[in-house]
Amino acid sequence: MNFKTRNHLVLGLTGGLLCGKSTALQAFARCGAFTLSCDELVREISARPAIKRQIAALTGAAEKEGVARKIFASAAARKKLEVLLHPLVAKEIEKRLKKNTASLRVVEVPLLFEAGWQDAFDWTVCIAAPSAVLKQRLTARNMGKTDFLRRSRAQYPLQRKMALADVRLLNDTTEQALQEKIAQLCRAFTIYQSK
């Protein structure tokens, strides 16, 4: 699997739960980048009747909430689901990247390092936030602490993701501040591409 293309820069965007990956992806889009969200692709693919049946057979649940409960409670069930979905998501990413002509392309992949996809991108970017900020966001989003911890345990610790990433961005203040950081990063990548 390789998402890199000639004359285009393809970034893999990741980060911890509630760190602001979706906000960062929107900021990249505002800078003119072509953007894709793996979460959205998974929703689209999972809605296909044949895939929906396979997911139900693997997890014993038909509705989204039941599937989520099952996969976050069982590492084995989560692995089976990933084996089914990851190749389909990768194929869809490749297809959509080929159709686009933007010089900068950004793909949000929550499990980028966990899936071993880091080498498929030109650069990896990790969005992080300190624990105090995450606690505030947890309250603001009405997400229970137990649910947050269960979902977080399904990923690498944030420190590990940051250590693996080529670029690290701290999202510890306002959405506007993150947008400015992304804009600066886009300018830097534009300069990099022009060399």
Side-chain angles (χ1 to χ4, degrees):
M1 172 181 52
N2 183 6
F3 301 138
K4 301 172 190 175
T5 57
R6 264 181 126 176
N7 304 318
H8 301 92
L9 204 55
V10 185
L11 310 182
L13 175 66
T14 194
L17 196 60
L18 300 179
C19 285
K21 297 181 298 294
S22 298
T23 303
L25 192 67
Q26 291 167 3
F28 275 112
R30 277 193 214 67
C31 291
F34 171 70
T35 59
L36 283 174
S37 163
C38 278
D39 283 345
E40 287 180 17
L41 292 177
V42 165
R43 279 191 285 276
E44 288 177 24
I45 291 166
S46 300
R48 297 174 188 168
I51 303 302
K52 201 171 187 175
R53 285 192 295 274
Q54 285 181 278
I55 292 171
L58 284 174
T59 63
E63 79 288 343
K64 182 182 171 184
E65 293 77 18
V67 171
R69 273 194 305 275
K70 181 76 172 179
I71 64 167
F72 288 117
S74 166
R78 189 168 58 252
K79 185 66 181 168
K80 286 179 184 176
L81 191 62
E82 289 171 357
V83 167
L84 170 67
L85 292 176
H86 284 185
L88 298 172
V89 171
K91 187 176 178 180
E92 194 63 33
I93 291 170
E94 287 173 342
K95 185 172 91 174
R96 295 189 189 196
L97 288 176
K98 282 179 185 174
K99 288 181 178 178
N100 192 272
T101 58
S103 60
L104 180 61
R105 300 144 185 226
V106 184
V107 184
E108 178 195 4
V109 188
L111 300 178
L112 190 151
F113 297 115
E114 295 85 343
W117 287 13
Q118 60 269 24
D119 293 333
F121 296 96
D122 294 302
W123 292 76
T124 57
V125 179
C126 182
I127 307 296
S131 56
V133 172
L134 293 178
K135 285 177 186 174
Q136 291 171 352
R137 292 179 187 162
L138 191 65
T139 305
R141 296 234 186 131
N142 237 357
M143 181 185 283
K145 187 176 180 183
T146 304
D147 189 33
F148 175 80
L149 291 173
R150 192 173 65 231
R151 289 172 183 264
S152 293
R153 287 185 190 121
Q155 301 183 13
Y156 285 169
L158 183 56
Q159 292 77 12
R160 184 174 179 188
K161 289 188 182 209
M162 289 185 70
L164 291 168
D166 299 312
V167 178
R168 299 154 200 86
L169 292 178
L170 189 60
N171 180 19
D172 59 345
T173 56
T174 64
E175 190 173 313
Q176 180 63 33
L178 179 61
Q179 288 173 5
E180 288 170 8
K181 287 178 183 179
I182 299 288
Q184 288 173 357
L185 188 59
C186 287
R187 286 192 291 273
F189 279 125
T190 299
I191 294 167
Y192 173 81
Q193 284 179 290
S194 66
K195 290 184 177 180

